[in-house]
Amino acid sequence: MDSLTFRRLLDEPAQLNRRLRDWGLTAPEIGAEHWRELAEQVPLELLASLAGQLGEHLPQAHDPDRAFAGLMRFLASALSPLAMLSLFERDGACLPMLCQIFGTSDAWTELLLRDPEAFDYLRLTEGMPTPREELQAEVDRETALLTDERILMAALKRRCEREQLRIGYGELFRHVRIEMAMQQLTELAEVIVSAALRFAWQRGTDGANKKLPRLAVIGLGRFGGRELDYRLPLKLLFVVQNVTSQEMRRGNPLEVVERVARQTIRVLQAPEEGHSIYPVLFPIHPTADAETLVHPLDDLLYYCDAKGRTWERSILLTARPIAGDLELGREFLAQLQPWLFRRYLYRADETGMRAFKRRILREAAAAPHDLELGPGGIRQIEQSIRFLQLLSGGELEIVRRGGTRAGIAGLEQAGVMTVEERSVLEQGYEHLRRWEHRSQLLGTALEPGNELRERQQQQAQTLERVLASAFDGEVHTHPVAELVLDPLPTAESISTALRPFGFQDVHTAAAELRSLAVERIPFLSTRRSRHFLAEIAPTLLQSIAATPDPDYTLARLARVSESLGGKGVLWELFRQHPPSQELYVRLCGASLYLTELLTSNPGMIDDLLDSLLLNHLPTVEELEALAGDLLQGVQAQSMQSALAAFRQSQHLRIGVREMLGLEDVAATHRALAAVAEVCVRRVAAEEYAKLAERHGEPGTANGDHCEIVILALGKVGGNEPNYHSPLELAFIYESDGMTQLPLRSRSATSTTNAHFFSLLAQRVLKTLTELGPQGKLYEVHTPIRPQGKTGPVAIAREHLRQYLLDGPISMSERQLLVKSRAIFGVATARAAVQNLIVESLLARPWKPAYAEEVRQARRQMEESASGRNLKRAPGGTTDVEAVIHVLQWQHAEAPDMIGVGTLTAIDRLRERGWLSPEDADHWSGAYRFLRRVESALRLMNFPSRHELPSSSVDWRKLAMILQHPESQDLAEQVRGTMNENRERFEKFFAAG
């Protein structure tokens, strides 16, 4: 177009608008305004030349409006629009190139506006591939001497944008093949990462490279497979050379290398002018600390072998050293090969592979029309090829190739797929990746044509056929098992799997469930644990769903299992022995006391299992033998800890059998009393021996040995304590006198019997009540103190006689004496003390006047108790005990009536006709029932141990422990029993 013609167009707006509309502009008025503005700045000859070229090239642009607007902005921002128009006139290739760029991508337009030199670079290269060596040299020249981080980031970002413009332009307009474009993008990223690492190393180490371990940067996913695109983040893994303990002692070099890695990532992804150079992801996390970037080679290899999952194998399948010490990276990958490609699949490996296959199919089915995620789409092709490589790579080395296209070729060459299948997948993948790249470059998802849709359908059919041939006879997998195996479950799959089991917070429950698969002990295999957990997960959650609060039960089960360690062994046991699983779930769902024993003593899992195998509760003789074995060789200062472990293991054993309903409450109480007796006897014997070595053996006035008796009172005396009952003890020695020094003893010093036995009592009490690593052995009271609370704990038998026969003994002390029983001392001394107690009761026989005293004491107890108190509220266990204690007192002269518990006393009173069968049945049944409820409350570890629950959830937990079908019926039964107890109590004492 000549200048006169162009002038006439400017003078005739209608003609100009028509011409601009012919060029493809939809708003010619705006275009005309731009022309008039330019006409005021540059000669008409140049504008006429520009108009002539635009008339030819603008209609060919992807978006003429966008191309024209971008060109006008470009000219307006140029330092010399005149020089730019002169360039267009001299070089006819410039304007078509700009029309293509501005008409294609707003991002490219913005790039040229802020970096006009990018256009010069594009003119120079014309979008053709650049050798890696030239690119590396250019980046090194620009960045090698830079020391300022922001300047470096700006330089790398500028270089990255120019090169991506070159690659994208070549792919769109110079027909560069898709595989070459992916390779060029990959090489660009490698060069940028290498430059960032070099800068970080120089800054973080002050050039002290030789003193630090080698560091390799591994590319994963598409980066490692040389198939990078324009958008996805770089997936990286930092591997560092193993560091010896001697090197660690000289200063932790890993901290320096970690700083280098962090600096590298900051350069790559810290925003520069609003955008990072590359976003970065770390899909492999070998340590619990997700913030740690650098991992020693041996740690990575161990993690992969012990805990690595199938999806992590698929990611590492494409791993490739891309920066840093490449030799170290190759060494890591060489040692990784046996884990990646397994010649023989163990059951856990096969489970993981099957889950990986199901995940591929499930994810594709969730997006049926999506070219990237749907059936036959990009992601399904990539994942399916990696799946087939993992499956066959153990035997067929030729398939061990990084990248999807290389993997397809290797699988065909190995005979895993046919030539036709290779052709379909290879060509389909290329077409899809070309579509993906064009969408990324244009900034919008392109509508696929019919041809691409047909290809996708053909690819989906091919993949379905190829995957179906792997693992013939695939069985249906329960959604819960799938959830365990799926590394990245969707919110929908979590809800679908867990909602049927009654969880309120399904996402927390999913996290707890997945944590059950992870082994924290270094030498145990998480892969094996996950396999067995997946097998039992459906039945495990069914059991959990049957508990009153499934969320609580699962959380508790996760905590207990974490403390035990060896989860895989536990899950395998549950698979082989379902009753143990049921028991474990019931413990976690209701018994806080027993599960806390397990968490504080992980070795007790053996005791838990023993309780399922043994068919009886331990006898006193068995407990004595067990305690003897446990204390064999234990230092004196460790006795408290050893006995605490003994007590806790036996409580676990007893509690488990109670929860299983295998024992009567009386048998449970006898076993708990026996455990307490053994602990007291062991401590007393040990402390007695040490005192005798220091002071000699206590003697009487006539030269005989002075005996000591430990008397158990209250619940323990009556063989009916619960899990938290305190010990009520009395220390009674035979008579006053002096200790007799052993022959040839130079260090021993004689003392009085009173002093000797006071020391013994104090030491026994100290050991029983001191706070050790596992808490107290027992809480201990000494209620029989003739000289008051400040008087001596150890009492001479004669002083006790005077107190019991003539002293101010209270009603509560008399009731304690009814159930008193000697648990330590020689037989003759024990019998003498028991006879003394019977004598004291007979010396002060029951009087009707005492009835009001008992009732008044009960009223005082009731005032300090709530109506939910199972012990002290009206009709509680104390009502039953008060009635039976009085009857025992009234018949103290009868053999075996003193020193026995409530239930035994009821049986003997019935046998001798002192209690009617109807009353005996009621008191026995009521007491057994309430003590069972009390015992269950103790297993629940209620803070107020005698308080009945106030919430419906706790009532359901209580019912589960008692194996009662309905919690509401249980509550009504408790209330009914207590009401009848109180009626009979009042009737009994009203009669005097």
Side-chain angles (χ1 to χ4, degrees):
M1 180 182 298
D2 57 42
S3 57
L4 292 176
T5 303
F6 185 72
R7 166 59 66 185
R8 284 197 298 271
L9 284 175
L10 290 178
D11 292 339
E12 298 179 11
Q15 289 285 354
L16 180 58
N17 289 347
R18 186 164 49 251
R19 181 64 62 91
L20 294 176
R21 195 174 287 110
D22 291 341
W23 292 353
L25 300 184
T26 59
E29 297 82 4
I30 298 176
E33 186 63 31
H34 283 301
W35 282 115
R36 293 189 184 93
E37 290 176 359
L38 279 175
E40 296 176 1
Q41 302 175 43
V42 297
L44 288 179
E45 292 81 1
L46 291 178
L47 284 181
S49 174
L50 175 63
Q53 292 184 65
L54 285 176
E56 179 183 355
H57 301 298
L58 198 58
Q60 309 303 318
H62 178 76
D63 186 338
D65 281 311
R66 187 159 59 176
F68 182 77
L71 178 62
M72 293 300 105
R73 291 178 64 197
F74 183 68
L75 289 173
S77 66
L79 293 177
S80 173
L82 178 63
M84 187 61 66
L85 290 174
S86 299
L87 174 64
F88 293 163
E89 187 176 39
R90 292 193 311 272
D91 187 349
C94 288
L95 191 58
M97 184 178 288
L98 284 173
C99 287
Q100 289 170 330
I101 291 173
F102 295 144
T104 298
S105 169
D106 290 337
W108 282 355
T109 300
E110 298 300 327
L111 169 61
L112 293 189
L113 290 175
R114 66 174 179 269
D115 182 17
E117 293 181 11
F119 177 56
D120 297 330
Y121 181 65
L122 185 60
R123 287 177 56 220
L124 180 65
T125 61
E126 294 185 339
M128 290 294 101
T130 298
R132 160 70 185 266
E133 296 74 16
E134 292 183 15
L135 181 60
Q136 182 76 62
E138 188 67 21
V139 172
D140 289 346
R141 182 185 63 79
E142 293 181 3
T143 63
L145 299 179
L146 297 180
T147 57
D148 184 273
E149 182 182 276
R150 293 191 62 82
I151 296 176
L152 173 78
M153 290 168 59
L156 290 179
K157 182 176 177 60
R158 183 170 57 249
R159 173 54 56 183
C160 184
E161 289 177 333
R162 290 179 180 180
E163 297 300 336
Q164 286 191 346
L165 172 63
R166 171 184 63 81
I167 298 167
Y169 184 83
E171 184 177 353
L172 286 181
F173 302 111
R174 291 294 182 265
H175 307 296
V176 173
R177 291 182 59 83
I178 183 67
E179 59 267 26
M180 177 56 71
M182 292 189 293
Q183 180 178 326
Q184 289 275 289
L185 289 168
T186 302
E187 290 176 352
L188 170 63
E190 291 174 9
V191 170
I192 297 293
V193 172
S194 296
L197 178 64
R198 181 183 62 241
F199 173 83
W201 195 269
Q202 291 172 347
R203 169 175 282 197
T205 64
D206 297 325
N209 299 19
K210 294 183 180 179
K211 299 179 182 179
L212 292 171
R214 298 180 293 159
L215 176 67
V217 184
I218 308 295
L220 306 173
R222 287 185 176 180
F223 192 16
R226 293 187 175 88
E227 295 176 337
L228 210 57
D229 59 30
Y230 296 93
R231 291 278 182 85
L232 288 184
L234 305 182
K235 294 181 179 180
L236 300 180
L237 177 66
F238 286 96
V239 183
V240 69
Q241 176 187 3
N242 296 319
V243 179
T244 65
S245 57
Q246 184 177 2
E247 291 171 322
M248 292 292 286
R249 285 195 293 271
R250 291 199 298 264
N252 188 351
L254 294 181
E255 292 182 355
V256 180
V257 181
E258 179 75 18
R259 286 200 301 271
V260 169
R262 291 185 179 280
Q263 175 79 58
T264 302
I265 300 307
R266 188 163 61 248
V267 169
L268 292 175
Q269 66 178 13
E272 172 62 27
E273 296 183 1
H275 300 281
S276 61
I277 303 172
Y278 284 110
V280 180
L281 293 179
F282 297 93
I284 306 296
H285 294 291
T287 63
D289 181 9
E291 300 299 319
T292 300
L293 300 183
V294 174
H295 309 287
L297 185 146
D298 281 352
D299 289 358
L300 274 171
L301 293 174
Y302 163 74
Y303 169 80
C304 290
D305 185 59
K307 300 183 178 181
R309 302 185 65 173
T310 303
W311 67 272
E312 290 172 310
R313 289 171 62 202
S314 75
I315 291 175
L316 287 166
L317 184 65
T318 59
R320 181 173 58 87
I322 53 94
D325 194 309
L326 301 182
E327 185 57 37
L328 175 66
R330 285 189 283 270
E331 179 184 343
F332 165 65
L333 295 181
Q335 295 186 52
L336 198 64
Q337 294 303 297
W339 176 71
L340 284 175
F341 302 105
R342 299 167 184 247
R343 190 170 183 84
Y344 303 104
L345 290 181
Y346 297 103
R347 290 186 62 190
D349 301 321
E350 182 177 329
T351 299
M353 290 296 290
R354 289 184 185 276
F356 187 31
K357 173 184 171 181
R358 290 191 297 270
R359 179 185 171 193
I360 293 171
L361 297 173
R362 185 175 63 251
E363 289 182 348
H369 305 297
D370 195 302
L371 287 182
E372 292 190 47
L373 306 177
I378 297 172
R379 181 175 175 82
Q380 191 184 34
I381 293 176
E382 292 174 341
Q383 289 191 327
S384 299
I385 296 308
R386 292 202 294 267
F387 167 77
L388 293 171
Q389 287 176 290
L390 292 176
L391 189 62
S392 55
E395 296 182 356
L396 304 172
E397 190 171 345
I398 194 172
V399 308
R400 304 177 187 179
R401 300 178 180 181
T404 303
R405 296 181 72 260
I408 292 172
L411 290 166
E412 183 271 321
Q413 293 168 21
V416 176
M417 64 174 60
T418 65
V419 175
E420 180 185 0
E421 289 167 341
R422 170 184 174 174
S423 176
V424 169
L425 295 178
E426 207 168 50
Q427 293 180 26
Y429 187 66
E430 289 180 7
H431 279 80
L432 287 172
R433 288 301 303 271
R434 189 178 299 115
W435 168 85
E436 178 188 50
H437 281 200
R438 288 181 63 85
S439 297
Q440 291 174 347
L441 292 170
L442 296 176
T444 182
L446 295 175
E447 184 64 31
N450 292 333
E451 181 185 355
L452 200 55
R453 286 294 188 193
E454 291 173 3
R455 283 187 178 277
Q456 181 190 15
Q457 185 176 4
Q458 189 178 12
Q459 289 150 204
Q461 294 170 352
T462 301
L463 289 175
E464 183 179 0
R465 185 168 59 250
V466 171
L467 291 175
S469 64
F471 291 130
D472 290 336
E474 181 78 17
V475 295
H476 172 72
T477 302
H478 195 282
V480 171
E482 197 68 54
L483 184 63
V484 173
L485 299 170
D486 192 345
L488 297 170
T490 64
E492 182 181 357
S493 65
I494 289 173
S495 181
T496 300
L498 297 183
R499 283 292 180 204
F501 297 97
F503 294 108
Q504 298 300 310
D505 185 346
V506 292
H507 296 288
T508 298
E512 298 281 16
L513 183 63
R514 290 196 297 274
S515 75
L516 293 176
V518 179
E519 294 281 18
R520 307 296 181 189
I521 300 175
F523 55 82
L524 296 178
S525 170
T526 291
R527 186 172 66 255
R528 183 173 182 273
S529 173
R530 184 176 294 108
H531 163 72
F532 285 118
L533 177 61
E535 287 196 347
I536 68 163
T539 58
L540 179 66
L541 291 194
Q542 285 173 2
S543 299
I544 290 173
T547 64
D549 187 347
D551 294 80
Y552 169 86
T553 302
L554 180 56
R556 190 71 192 160
L557 188 143
R559 180 184 173 190
V560 175
S561 303
E562 190 66 45
S563 70
L564 294 177
K567 298 175 190 173
V569 176
L570 197 60
W571 311 145
E572 187 176 10
L573 167 69
F574 291 169
R575 184 171 65 89
Q576 297 172 351
H577 192 250
S580 61
Q581 176 180 296
E582 288 294 327
L583 169 63
Y584 193 64
V585 170
R586 289 186 63 209
L587 290 180
C588 295
S591 181
L592 182 61
Y593 176 62
L594 297 182
T595 53
E596 283 187 341
L597 291 182
L598 286 172
T599 54
S600 59
N601 303 275
M604 284 190 182
I605 187 64
D606 294 332
D607 298 291
L608 176 66
L609 301 180
D610 287 346
S611 65
L612 293 170
L613 302 176
L614 299 175
N615 58 4
H616 67 280
L617 286 171
T619 63
V620 173
E621 294 73 22
E622 290 172 341
L623 291 171
E624 289 284 7
L626 285 170
D629 293 340
L630 186 66
L631 295 174
Q632 191 75 30
V634 171
Q635 298 293 326
Q637 60 269 26
S638 302
M639 170 175 277
Q640 197 272 355
S641 296
L643 284 176
F646 164 76
R647 169 183 170 271
Q648 290 173 343
S649 68
Q650 296 309 313
H651 276 208
L652 178 66
R653 181 177 173 184
I654 296 166
V656 166
R657 292 188 64 81
E658 181 176 9
M659 287 195 66
L660 291 173
L662 299 175
E663 303 295 342
D664 174 73
V665 66
T668 297
H669 290 162
R670 282 195 299 272
L672 292 171
V675 173
E677 288 178 44
V678 170
C679 290
V680 171
R681 284 199 288 268
R682 286 286 170 176
V683 174
E686 176 71 20
E687 296 300 337
Y688 184 95
K690 289 191 290 185
L691 283 172
E693 184 178 351
R694 180 178 177 183
H695 296 293
E697 294 280 353
T700 62
N702 58 11
D704 294 333
H705 186 271
C706 182
E707 301 293 346
I708 176 75
V709 169
I710 299 179
L711 192 66
L713 308 161
K715 288 287 196 296
V716 176
N719 270 315
E720 52 188 22
N722 57 42
Y723 298 93
H724 299 92
S725 290
L727 305 185
E728 295 176 299
L729 304 178
F731 296 82
I732 304 162
Y733 60 94
E734 189 172 355
S735 66
D736 290 329
M738 298 291 293
T739 59
Q740 301 171 1
L741 296 178
L743 297 176
R744 301 177 183 177
S745 174
R746 296 183 179 180
S747 59
T749 56
S750 181
T751 188
T752 64
N753 289 353
H755 182 243
F756 181 94
F757 289 117
S758 290
L759 287 176
L760 175 63
Q762 291 168 11
R763 292 188 176 189
V764 170
L765 295 176
K766 179 177 181 297
T767 302
L768 291 174
T769 60
E770 69 181 341
L771 206 59
Q774 295 167 301
K776 290 181 181 181
L777 263 174
Y778 288 97
E779 181 181 347
V780 183
H781 302 153
T782 52
I784 304 297
R785 304 280 286 271
Q787 296 183 33
K789 294 182 178 180
T790 59
V793 178
I795 314 165
R797 193 188 302 167
E798 186 57 33
H799 297 164
L800 178 64
R801 174 187 295 275
Q802 293 173 6
Y803 178 69
L804 295 181
L805 296 179
D806 303 318
I809 185 170
S810 67
M811 180 64 70
S812 61
E813 287 175 312
R814 291 193 191 103
Q815 290 179 308
L816 283 173
L817 291 173
V818 166
K819 292 196 290 189
S820 59
R821 180 171 56 91
I823 60 172
F824 179 82
V826 298
T828 54
R830 292 163 67 175
V833 171
Q834 294 286 169
N835 291 336
L836 173 58
I837 291 169
V838 173
E839 179 185 352
S840 69
L841 292 172
L842 294 175
R844 298 187 181 188
W846 170 262
K847 299 177 182 179
Y850 291 157
E852 185 55 33
E853 189 176 344
V854 173
R855 294 168 74 177
Q856 184 60 35
R858 281 295 289 126
R859 292 191 192 97
Q860 292 175 356
M861 295 176 69
E862 292 164 13
E863 289 174 359
S864 61
S866 73
R868 293 184 292 107
N869 192 293
L870 197 66
K871 179 179 180 179
R872 292 180 289 133
T877 56
T878 304
D879 275 8
V880 184
E881 291 166 351
V883 170
I884 304 305
H885 289 167
V886 168
L887 291 173
Q888 287 179 269
W889 186 1
Q890 290 175 348
H891 302 284
E893 76 285 355
D896 302 325
M897 188 56 68
I898 302 303
V900 296
T902 304
L903 291 173
T904 301
I906 291 172
D907 291 340
R908 292 178 181 176
L909 289 167
R910 180 212 302 260
E911 291 170 1
R912 294 164 188 177
W914 295 323
L915 192 62
S916 70
E918 191 271 336
D919 284 340
D921 287 343
H922 168 77
W923 291 124
S924 178
Y927 194 69
R928 287 176 187 277
F929 172 64
L930 294 182
R931 289 303 304 275
R932 280 189 65 219
V933 174
E934 176 193 66
S935 189
L937 290 172
R938 298 303 175 94
L939 290 174
M940 292 170 65
N941 216 16
F942 257 38
S944 300
R945 292 172 181 165
H946 290 97
E947 294 289 316
L948 290 164
S950 57
S951 72
S952 59
V953 170
D954 286 334
W955 269 109
R956 291 198 299 272
K957 290 180 182 180
L958 184 64
M960 185 172 72
I961 293 179
L962 295 170
Q963 299 187 25
H964 201 286
E966 292 291 340
S967 59
Q968 187 172 355
D969 291 346
L970 174 63
E972 291 175 0
Q973 186 178 350
V974 171
R975 286 192 291 270
T977 301
M978 293 178 70
N979 288 339
E980 186 170 355
N981 283 348
R982 176 42 59 103
E983 290 177 6
R984 289 175 178 267
F985 173 89
E986 294 291 355
K987 182 179 179 180
F988 178 85
F989 283 101

